[in-house]
Amino acid sequence: MPSIGAKILAVLLYMIPWSDSLIFANHLFIQYPFLQIIQLPAIPIILIERSIPFGSLLLFLAIFIGLVRNNKVSYFLRFNALQSLLINIGIIIISFIFQIIFGSFTNTLIIRTFSSTLSISLFSVLFYCVWSCTQGNEPDLPGISQATKMQL
């Protein structure tokens, strides 16, 4: 059973993909302003990434080298760190695809629907991961968890 500190750190690790997935929820925030409260947990990560030059790259490298590749850290933390980084990489790839393919169609109904559906799905996955970490379990996401276990 992981310690309370390990659980808290694991939850904080999932705030990195949470902060990067907020870009897909812009249409939801405009239509439902009360949903903007879900941005609060991501504010420290956003501040770190924007205040330091190459902040997101440095944060990625610090987590990867400091936690994932450090055998002195518990398996629970290493697993959740790598899984959150893999989710974040997926979100970054999806946002690049969005910009390249759908860049000129930013305010059409299909784009708003797709981005809202994507943001709700991402928030659901990240909420499940956070909930599993608070319970002391490893979140089991098909495909991502297997890739994480293979790397560790």
Side-chain angles (χ1 to χ4, degrees), residues 33-54:
F34 66 90
L35 286 178
Q36 291 182 4
I37 196 159
I38 65 174
Q39 296 178 17
L40 291 178
I43 289 175
I45 301 298
I46 293 171
L47 289 175
I48 290 171
E49 289 178 345
R50 291 188 181 167
S51 64
I52 302 170
F54 301 107

Side-chain angles (χ1 to χ4, degrees), residues 95-113:
S95 69
F96 282 149
I97 291 171
F98 242 73
Q99 289 174 358
I100 291 170
I101 296 175
F102 305 121
S104 60
F105 307 109
T106 56
N107 206 13
T108 60
L109 177 63
I110 192 151
I111 298 305
R112 286 183 295 179
T113 304

Side-chain angles (χ1 to χ4, degrees), residues 24-39:
F24 297 113
N26 286 336
H27 301 294
L28 288 175
F29 295 149
I30 292 169
Q31 192 168 9
Y32 305 105
F34 66 90
L35 286 178
Q36 291 182 4
I37 196 159
I38 65 174
Q39 296 178 17

Side-chain angles (χ1 to χ4, degrees), residues 11-86:
V11 167
L12 291 176
L13 287 168
Y14 285 105
M15 293 304 114
I16 297 168
W18 186 281
S19 67
D20 284 339
S21 64
L22 289 175
I23 193 167
F24 297 113
N26 286 336
H27 301 294
L28 288 175
F29 295 149
I30 292 169
Q31 192 168 9
Y32 305 105
F34 66 90
L35 286 178
Q36 291 182 4
I37 196 159
I38 65 174
Q39 296 178 17
L40 291 178
I43 289 175
I45 301 298
I46 293 171
L47 289 175
I48 290 171
E49 289 178 345
R50 291 188 181 167
S51 64
I52 302 170
F54 301 107
S56 56
L57 177 64
L58 293 175
L59 186 63
F60 175 85
L61 290 174
I63 291 172
F64 187 74
I65 295 169
L67 287 176
V68 175
R69 293 296 172 202
N70 188 353
N71 290 329
K72 296 177 185 174
V73 177
S74 69
Y75 180 79
F76 177 77
L77 270 178
R78 291 174 50 220
F79 177 85
N80 286 302
L82 184 57
Q83 184 160 291
S84 73
L85 291 178
L86 288 176

